[in-house]
Amino acid sequence: MPTTDYLVSIGLEVHVQLKTQSKMFCSCPVRFGEAPNTLVCPICLGLPGALPKLNAGAIEMTVLAGQLLGCSTPEVVKWDRKNYFYADMPKNYQLSQYDLPLCLGGEVPLYELAYPKDAQKSIVHPGKVVRLTRIHLEEDVAKSTHHATYTLVDFNRSGTALMEIVSEPELESAEETVAYLNSLRQILVYSGVSDADMEKGQLRCDVNVSVRPKGQEKLGTKIELKNLNSISAVRRALNYEIDRQIGEVEAGRPIQQATWRWNDEVGQTEPMRSKEDAHDYRYFPEPDLLPVRTAPFVERARAIRPELPHEKVARFEASYQISHYDASVLAADRALADWFEQAVQGSTAPKKVANWVINNLLAELNARSIGIADCPVSPTTLAALVELVESGKVSNNQGKEIFALLFERPQDSPEVIAKELGFEPADSSEIEAIIDEVIASNAGPVAEVMGGNEKAANFLVGQVMKRSKGKANPKQVTEMILLRLRPS
Amino acid sequence: MDIRHIARLARIELNSEEILRYQTQIDQLIQYVEKLTELDLDDIHPTSHAVEIFDVMRPDEARDGALSLEEVLMNSPSVTQEQFRLPKVVE
């Protein structure tokens, strides 16, 4: 059977580090890039007898994320021990939540711009929404670094508050999975609970994938994929694994449930452990932590719930008369959306400001490989520049030149730079003189314009621009020429 | 209750004599607890804690310097680059 005769089911377990000040069960600070083992206490080191203390801030953030994702929260939640042996967790159990997690249900809408760029034109299920199973709040483990003959363990990360977001197996392709991860990431960044940066390990995911022939109700046997360290790796791994599984089924070899690992260097998946070695975690209630009543957390989360990306898109379209696509580009990054909204404050041309941000600002940022957070030009400066262009004082191209210079001299105003570049045609008598010359020496085009063909004026404008060495403003020159020659 | 499975999960090595002895003891323990099933518990919710206390939490405030590096690493069999050094872990 061809590949298209198979259905693919993908479900994700996404781990997200929360941006709390302190760890989940102790007061050690949460910071990145510190010297190894300097943010550690007996609790996050897992020393015998150390007692955990719940971080109310982490609970608050998880409930907020749940509210944004449409989850419900049980009235009472509790924590449980998940038992296993591994060197990155020396107390031999991870504090997690089993039967009463902080969030149940919920959903993630797949945003169009969250799909891989090359897949945005061929989205199979536009507007698809993927259901979540649950979100629970647990502790991160220590960081292991594997060397040739030994492993080093740093406990700074141990105990960091970690949300695990579990989806239903409703994703049907590698591309939808990319869209899911990007959309989820966007919503989490909007909520402010995490930076969710995969490269920094703030967002990590395990993927379950199975295939089955079309028409078969029951899901195929799943393979769990690990070691997916970037969104592009997730896409590569899934495309490889889907092909491999279909190949196995086609060859009459049933899939055995197992955990496989993605080898990004070689570009293939490799078996890691079979079902016989599957963990038996023997969850039981954590006796050292008491249950928590969630009502106050839910109430607070409802009060501070921020706007979601798709809600922002709708508002931008309505308030600033910009296209759905432009609004989506701006809203894809909360920091960019905030920057745009500051620039557009009091502007008479919000649509133009949006164009400048999307076409010019993003290009400049890309060229410099910096994010909006590091943009030296302030939103009010861009707004001033747009006003300068819109009032006709400088041309669009001159505006772009000024914009590029503003990145070098962000403290200067666009007007000052325009003057320096000689773009300020304040001395119109000089320009008038040039126009006189041009009209005198181009009888043909002049006659055409006078005859009502205004397009012929473009030639005259070009001549004026040439003689003024580009210092005149073409918009203004056009107006001045037409004022003289237009039949009245 | 499969004593071998339990022993493997707990990373405990048992010889055949121990397996027999512990199997008998654990079976007796479970039999004792199973006495509870003689009661009608339909209306009783499972309890995770015996005391009716809720919401014991701390505010999200960080405090540095709980342990010195020397204290952190004092139980490590071997130290490299201020980290716990272990035989290579593969997973």
Side-chain angles (χ1 to χ4, degrees):
Chain A
M1 286 194 286
T3 310
T4 47
D5 287 344
Y6 284 88
L7 294 172
V8 177
S9 297
I10 301 164
L12 267 70
E13 287 163 24
V14 176
H15 286 94
V16 180
Q17 285 183 343
L18 293 174
K19 261 193 336 193
T20 50
Q21 297 297 309
S22 63
K23 293 184 180 181
M24 184 65 228
F25 299 109
C26 62
S27 300
C28 289
V30 176
R31 284 200 301 263
F32 301 97
E34 298 282 322
N37 292 308
T38 53
L39 306 174
V40 179
C41 76
I43 297 171
C44 53
L45 205 48
L47 295 185
L51 294 173
K53 287 176 283 184
L54 273 176
N55 181 343
I59 298 174
E60 194 172 309
M61 287 184 182
T62 305
V63 172
L64 177 61
Q67 287 288 313
L68 283 171
L69 293 165
C71 307
S72 64
T73 290
E75 268 175 61
V76 174
V77 298
K78 69 176 177 66
W79 275 261
D80 301 273
R81 291 187 183 184
K82 177 182 179 179
N83 300 278
Y84 65 92
F85 293 100
Y86 204 73
D88 59 17
M89 206 193 52
K91 66 184 183 299
N92 300 334
Y93 55 85
Q94 181 187 27
L95 285 178
S96 183
Q97 296 188 289
Y98 185 55
D99 56 339
L100 288 172
L102 271 165
C103 307
L104 291 168
E107 58 188 36
V108 175
L110 304 188
Y111 298 135
E112 271 172 51
L113 292 181
Y115 281 82
K117 267 215 164 59
D118 57 286
Q120 288 175 7
K121 289 216 158 59
S122 54
I123 296 173
V124 181
H125 303 292
K128 179 165 176 164
V129 172
V130 175
R131 284 179 301 162
L132 296 178
T133 314
R134 56 186 275 154
I135 303 175
H136 57 257
L137 178 54
E138 57 188 27
E139 57 181 331
D140 208 343
V141 295
K143 184 161 177 47
S144 312
T145 316
H146 303 293
H147 296 262
T149 55
Y150 59 93
T151 294
L152 298 181
V153 188
D154 167 17
F155 281 81
N156 283 353
R157 191 180 76 181
S158 173
T160 301
L162 199 65
M163 286 194 297
E164 180 172 333
I165 304 172
V166 184
S167 85
E168 294 290 314
E170 294 182 340
L171 295 157
E172 292 166 83
S173 67
E175 288 65 38
E176 280 189 5
T177 307
V178 169
Y180 172 86
L181 283 168
N182 280 327
S183 302
L184 177 62
R185 188 174 173 269
Q186 238 185 73
I187 294 171
L188 293 172
V189 172
Y190 262 63
S191 71
V193 305
S194 177
D195 292 331
D197 190 335
M198 229 171 151
E199 278 172 22
K200 289 185 185 150
Q202 295 160 341
L203 186 152
R204 308 190 285 271
C205 73
D206 298 334
V207 172
N208 289 294
V209 54
S210 68
V211 301
R212 67 184 191 280
K214 267 188 184 157
Q216 180 183 316
E217 280 282 310
K218 197 173 167 286
L219 292 184
T221 306
K222 70 177 179 190
I223 295 285
E224 182 177 5
L225 290 182
K226 286 189 177 284
N227 196 39
L228 302 163
N229 297 324
S230 68
I231 290 186
S232 58
V234 170
R235 189 183 184 191
R236 287 193 293 276
L238 273 171
N239 278 326
Y240 178 90
E241 178 63 15
I242 290 165
D243 278 352
R244 187 190 73 82
Q245 289 190 18
I246 292 174
E248 291 292 293
V249 176
E250 285 281 301
R253 291 189 292 266
I255 304 288
Q256 305 290 329
Q257 187 173 334
T259 302
W260 287 50
R261 117 184 242 292
W262 170 245
N263 184 331
D264 208 29
E265 291 80 50
V266 185
Q268 63 184 40
T269 52
E270 298 160 351
M272 209 163 106
R273 55 170 182 256
S274 69
K275 200 192 174 194
E276 286 80 69
D277 306 322
H279 293 305
D280 176 351
Y281 292 124
R282 293 149 295 141
Y283 283 94
F284 64 87
E286 164 59 63
D288 296 333
L289 291 172
L290 291 158
V292 168
R293 287 172 295 201
T294 57
F297 290 101
V298 174
E299 201 174 312
R300 209 178 122 65
R302 284 197 180 128
I304 60 170
R305 177 195 188 280
E307 189 177 44
L308 279 171
H310 58 272
E311 293 165 349
K312 201 183 277 291
V313 169
R315 183 168 61 78
F316 278 8
E317 283 181 69
S319 308
Y320 306 124
Q321 283 85 46
I322 59 177
S323 71
H324 178 74
Y325 179 83
D326 285 355
S328 304
V329 172
L330 293 169
D333 177 349
R334 186 180 175 177
L336 182 70
D338 289 347
W339 200 97
F340 164 71
E341 286 220 87
Q342 283 175 43
V344 96
Q345 280 306 314
S347 167
T348 51
K351 205 172 144 50
K352 300 283 181 193
V353 174
N355 286 341
W356 272 86
V357 169
I358 292 167
N359 300 326
N360 303 81
L361 177 68
L362 288 181
E364 282 291 340
L365 294 177
N366 266 339
R368 283 152 210 270
S369 305
I370 53 171
I372 188 70
D374 300 313
C375 178
V377 180
S378 76
T380 45
T381 303
L382 176 72
L385 175 61
V386 174
E387 291 304 314
L388 209 59
V389 174
E390 286 312 301
S391 66
K393 288 189 183 134
V394 301
S395 73
N396 211 42
N397 283 336
Q398 289 170 341
K400 282 180 195 167
E401 267 185 66
I402 296 171
F403 190 57
L405 266 178
L406 278 170
F407 272 79
E408 312 301 331
R409 300 158 49 190
Q411 70 290 347
D412 287 340
S413 77
E415 287 88 349
V416 166
I417 293 180
K419 270 210 183 81
E420 274 186 26
L421 292 175
F423 291 159
E424 196 74 36
D427 188 6
S428 56
S429 62
E430 197 184 322
I431 304 291
E432 293 275 4
I434 297 174
I435 291 177
D436 286 342
E437 285 169 37
V438 168
I439 287 179
S441 53
N442 292 282
V446 167
E448 275 190 57
V449 178
M450 291 177 85
N453 180 7
E454 293 199 355
K455 275 189 187 152
N458 290 343
F459 173 78
L460 300 173
V461 174
Q463 292 300 306
V464 175
M465 293 307 291
K466 210 161 138 189
R467 291 189 196 203
S468 74
K469 299 191 178 68
K471 286 187 178 177
N473 174 353
K475 204 167 168 178
Q476 225 173 27
V477 171
T478 310
E479 276 167 21
M480 286 163 81
I481 290 176
L482 288 178
L483 206 64
R484 297 240 208 127
L485 303 182
R486 195 184 268 142
S488 48
Chain B
M1 188 65 71
D2 177 3
I3 199 78
R4 285 187 185 83
H5 179 60
I6 303 288
R8 198 160 70 90
L9 288 174
R11 303 291 189 274
I12 297 171
E13 253 181 79
L14 298 179
N15 60 35
S16 51
E17 184 207 328
E18 287 167 325
I19 289 172
L20 219 62
R21 178 152 41 108
Y22 293 134
Q23 184 74 62
T24 318
Q25 289 181 356
I26 286 193
D27 284 348
Q28 280 170 354
L29 278 172
I30 289 173
Q31 259 175 31
Y32 177 69
V33 176
E34 269 182 352
K35 260 189 163 327
L36 284 171
T37 58
E38 291 167 19
L39 300 169
D40 177 11
L41 301 172
D42 283 356
D43 296 328
I44 311 282
H45 289 291
T47 341
S48 56
H49 291 81
V51 287
E52 287 274 307
I53 303 175
F54 296 89
D55 309 331
V56 180
M57 290 171 277
R58 62 179 176 85
D60 179 22
E61 286 161 10
R63 271 202 314 270
D64 268 293
L67 289 178
S68 69
L69 192 59
E70 196 186 4
E71 288 171 313
V72 171
L73 297 169
M74 67 188 290
N75 295 316
S76 181
S78 170
V79 173
T80 297
Q81 294 163 11
E82 269 79 54
Q83 298 186 60
F84 292 78
R85 181 184 172 128
L86 320 168
K88 189 175 164 103
V89 181
V90 187
E91 187 167 24

